[in-house]
Amino acid sequence: MKRPSSSSSNSRGSKTRSGVLCHHNLAAVLRTAKKGPHVRLKFYGCSLWPQNGCGFFELEEMQSDVGSKSMPSDIETQISKYEAKLTKLKTKNEQLKLEVSMLKVKVDKHSREEKIVMFGLIFSWIIFAFSWMVKC
């Protein structure tokens, strides 16, 4: 993997690790990125950088993952958990959509009832005003 040109690192006196070799087959230096996409992350780079560096770049976490024994079954278990959670969330989403549609029906029903009551009130006032005018 090539080191991005926008990244920089700390001084050349960084820690070296014999297990990680650059493209020159020299022990890579552990550095910390100061800018770029990997800012504040530790990475291994060529010990000859910046003068004659080969562009070697490897994140420290990638190197530690190589030595770890991550079981595929652990990953499958996590995937199963997330799939179960996703199924529950989809079910909850459908329930909420149904509830929203039921509430919309209730609101529409109340709106119609309010219009009828308002019309009845106005009509009663008109009849009252007309009957009052007739008596006078």
Side-chain angles (χ1 to χ4, degrees):
M1 208 153 78
K2 293 278 184 186
R3 181 183 59 80
S5 61
S6 63
S7 295
S8 68
S9 64
N10 55 7
S11 67
R12 287 181 49 131
S14 299
K15 301 175 190 174
T16 59
R17 182 171 158 186
S18 59
V20 181
L21 300 177
C22 73
H23 300 302
H24 292 115
N25 281 333
L26 298 172
V29 178
L30 182 62
R31 304 175 191 268
T32 303
K34 293 183 179 177
K35 58 183 175 178
H38 303 291
V39 68
R40 292 191 301 252
L41 291 178
K42 294 191 181 292
F43 68 94
Y44 291 99
C46 180
S47 60
L48 301 177
W49 183 84
Q51 290 81 13
N52 298 320
C54 60
F56 177 78
F57 174 84
E58 186 175 296
L59 289 173
E60 180 185 33
E61 64 188 33
M62 293 172 71
Q63 188 62 35
S64 64
D65 286 347
V66 171
S68 69
K69 295 181 180 178
S70 176
M71 295 291 206
S73 62
D74 292 341
I75 295 170
E76 290 172 1
T77 303
Q78 287 179 340
I79 290 172
S80 296
K81 286 180 184 178
Y82 286 122
E83 285 175 343
K85 195 172 189 177
L86 180 62
T87 303
K88 286 180 183 178
L89 289 172
K90 285 181 178 179
T91 303
K92 182 71 173 178
N93 186 28
E94 291 303 317
Q95 290 173 346
L96 290 172
K97 283 180 180 180
L98 180 61
E99 191 175 333
V100 165
S101 65
M102 290 170 53
L103 289 172
K104 284 181 180 180
V105 169
K106 285 183 179 180
V107 166
D108 289 343
K109 181 181 176 184
H110 287 294
S111 295
R112 278 185 250 125
E113 290 173 356
E114 287 175 4
K115 288 177 185 176
I116 291 170
V117 169
M118 198 63 143
F119 179 75
L121 184 62
I122 292 171
F123 188 68
S124 66
W125 277 99
I126 292 171
I127 292 174
F128 174 75
F130 183 72
S131 65
W132 186 73
M133 291 175 88
V134 171
K135 287 184 182 181
C136 292

